[in-house]
Amino acid sequence: MNRYYNPFRGPHGSAYKLTAMGMVLLLACIIIYGVSHSQKITKEKGSSGPIPVASYTLARQDMNRTISLSGKTVPVSQVDITTKYAGKIAAVRVNLGDTVEPGQVLLLQDVVDATLSLQQGQAALLQATADSRAAESQFYANLKKAEVDYDMAKINYNRYQVLRDEGAVSQRELDTIYQAFIDAQAVLDNLNSQNVGSVPASIAGKYAAQDKADYAVHSLAQQIDDMTLRAPRSGVITYRNAEAGTIVPANTKVLTITDTSGMYVDCALSEEDVAFMQMGTPVTVSIDSLAKTYDGIVTYVSPAMNDADKTYAIRITLQNPDALLRGGMLAEMNMSVLQRKDTLFVPKEALDVQNGTSRAYVIRPDQTVEIRTVQTGLMNDSYIEVTDGLSEGDVIATTNLARLKDGTAVTVD
């Protein structure tokens, strides 16, 4: 027999146990309700005053967009100097880093063989000139003789006609004289019919041979001149692959002249931004490696899209580059471009967009809120244009929008 009495044992022990558990649950519910009701009352008491908000006053002004660009600096000119003809290099007059001026001799190729060919061509030209003059003299001598022979044959024929009529000569003799007259006329006509334009054919052929020899001489002289490589413009020698005594093929790159007196930066612009880009727009170009900025201006905007990357090329020319700038340096630019003149716009965070509808929270003079539906237009990184629903001078809330309703009292921070 158990010495201690247990009220939960025996025939009524289970009922006592259930009753106790029910009382515990009821007590827990009362506590939870009390705590939540107390928090609700505290929250309502805390929210009963005006809601603090930041504000923005609408005013008509120009709406700008900031466009960020990057690219690399490019010298205004970089010219490769190549050999036009194959041959041996006789001398190189410049080294890497040398500054050159237009017309300065950079490299000489050996011209001994070309000079010999030129002398041969000059001799051929003299021969062709002599041949053309001899042909001209011979032709006009033959023409003069043919004219004299024709005149004599004609006179002789006319005389023999008279003699035949008088019976002094026979018809056969007259026919012989007539044949001589016809032969002289044929020779003269043949000479007069050989012209090519206004020049007799025999002389024209000699003139053509003379011109051909003259062209050959000029071509060889030009070749010799082309074998002296000169600077086409001022700049600095930035590439050299030439040594005296080396035999190089035609069209070999031997030198490069880089002109850094001018610099530009080529950038790619998106379709969204190109509509706002104008020629002549001033730009501040930042060169991080130099920790310097330079003034620039937009000098080119491509009229066509690059199909490869769907962008438009623009060129920004630096206006006062200095000796520190070099090609290939990274350049960054932030450009402010005009989107719309004299328009209304608001901060992006000032609009509440729900189901495609934009709403603004207008602060009335009595410091209460009026919710308005607005129509929007252009946008940039920070602002959205408002085309309808708000007017110049309206004050709108920009913070705590989730707590605002029509008629909510606010205080402007």
Side-chain angles (χ1 to χ4, degrees), residues 174-232:
L174 177 62
D175 291 342
T176 300
I177 295 302
Y178 177 71
Q179 185 60 49
F181 168 66
I182 294 300
D183 290 343
Q185 186 179 31
V187 171
L188 180 60
D189 289 344
N190 182 53
L191 291 173
N192 285 327
S193 64
Q194 291 183 7
N195 286 5
V196 177
S198 61
V199 181
S202 59
I203 300 175
K206 297 298 182 179
Y207 281 161
Q210 179 182 339
D211 289 343
K212 183 177 180 180
D214 188 50
Y215 295 147
V217 167
H218 280 86
S219 177
L220 287 167
Q222 184 63 53
Q223 178 178 341
I224 291 174
D225 185 67
D226 289 341
M227 294 177 81
T228 298
L229 277 59
R230 296 177 174 84

Side-chain angles (χ1 to χ4, degrees), residues 6-273:
N6 189 341
F8 295 104
R9 288 186 180 180
H12 302 291
S14 296
Y16 293 143
K17 186 175 181 179
L18 289 174
T19 301
M21 291 177 64
M23 292 177 66
V24 170
L25 288 174
L26 179 60
L27 181 60
C29 289
I30 292 172
I31 292 172
I32 291 172
Y33 174 78
V35 170
S36 63
H37 187 66
S38 174
Q39 289 178 344
K40 183 177 179 181
I41 292 173
T42 302
K43 184 177 180 181
E44 288 178 351
K45 287 182 179 180
S47 63
S48 60
I51 297 174
V53 296
S55 66
Y56 177 85
T57 303
L58 277 79
R60 288 196 171 274
Q61 52 190 315
D62 294 344
M63 185 175 181
N64 296 312
R65 178 186 184 90
T66 299
I67 299 176
S68 297
L69 298 171
S70 64
K72 291 188 176 181
T73 55
V74 181
V76 68
S77 176
Q78 185 165 300
V79 181
D80 292 333
I81 308 299
T82 60
T83 55
K84 188 174 181 180
Y85 300 98
K88 183 170 68 174
I89 297 176
V92 183
R93 299 283 181 83
V94 291
N95 291 304
L96 281 174
D98 285 355
T99 300
V100 297
E101 298 298 329
Q104 180 177 334
V105 174
L106 308 176
L107 181 147
L108 298 171
Q109 287 183 272
D110 183 76
V111 295
V112 172
D113 293 341
T115 301
L116 291 173
S117 297
L118 176 61
Q119 292 171 347
Q120 290 175 350
Q122 290 171 335
L125 175 60
L126 289 174
Q127 180 65 52
T129 303
D131 289 345
S132 63
R133 290 179 181 176
E136 186 175 5
S137 297
Q138 184 64 48
F139 175 82
Y140 286 113
N142 291 339
L143 180 61
K144 186 66 177 176
K145 182 179 182 301
E147 289 173 345
V148 171
D149 289 346
Y150 171 76
D151 291 342
M152 291 300 297
K154 185 176 181 180
I155 292 171
N156 202 24
Y157 172 66
N158 290 335
R159 186 174 69 234
Y160 265 71
Q161 280 186 317
V162 174
L163 292 175
R164 195 265 329 256
D165 293 342
E166 293 176 351
V169 296
S170 66
Q171 182 65 39
R172 176 179 290 182
E173 290 174 314
L174 177 62
D175 291 342
T176 300
I177 295 302
Y178 177 71
Q179 185 60 49
F181 168 66
I182 294 300
D183 290 343
Q185 186 179 31
V187 171
L188 180 60
D189 289 344
N190 182 53
L191 291 173
N192 285 327
S193 64
Q194 291 183 7
N195 286 5
V196 177
S198 61
V199 181
S202 59
I203 300 175
K206 297 298 182 179
Y207 281 161
Q210 179 182 339
D211 289 343
K212 183 177 180 180
D214 188 50
Y215 295 147
V217 167
H218 280 86
S219 177
L220 287 167
Q222 184 63 53
Q223 178 178 341
I224 291 174
D225 185 67
D226 289 341
M227 294 177 81
T228 298
L229 277 59
R230 296 177 174 84
R233 63 182 302 150
S234 60
V236 177
I237 301 297
T238 55
Y239 174 87
R240 171 181 156 156
N241 184 26
E243 296 297 337
T246 305
I247 296 177
V248 294
N251 301 316
T252 299
K253 176 183 172 181
V254 290
L255 299 166
T256 297
I257 298 174
T258 301
D259 183 0
T260 58
S261 63
M263 283 279 184
Y264 61 84
V265 181
D266 284 339
C267 308
L269 199 61
S270 69
E271 181 180 0
E272 181 182 13
D273 292 333

Side-chain angles (χ1 to χ4, degrees), residues 69-75 260 263-267 285-292 294 318 321-333:
L69 298 171
S70 64
K72 291 188 176 181
T73 55
V74 181
T260 58
M263 283 279 184
Y264 61 84
V265 181
D266 284 339
C267 308
V285 180
S286 175
I287 308 295
D288 289 343
S289 59
L290 300 178
K292 293 187 66 176
Y294 296 86
L318 304 186
D322 54 28
L324 296 175
L325 274 176
R326 285 171 170 76
M329 289 183 167
L330 180 63
E332 295 184 345
M333 296 136 284

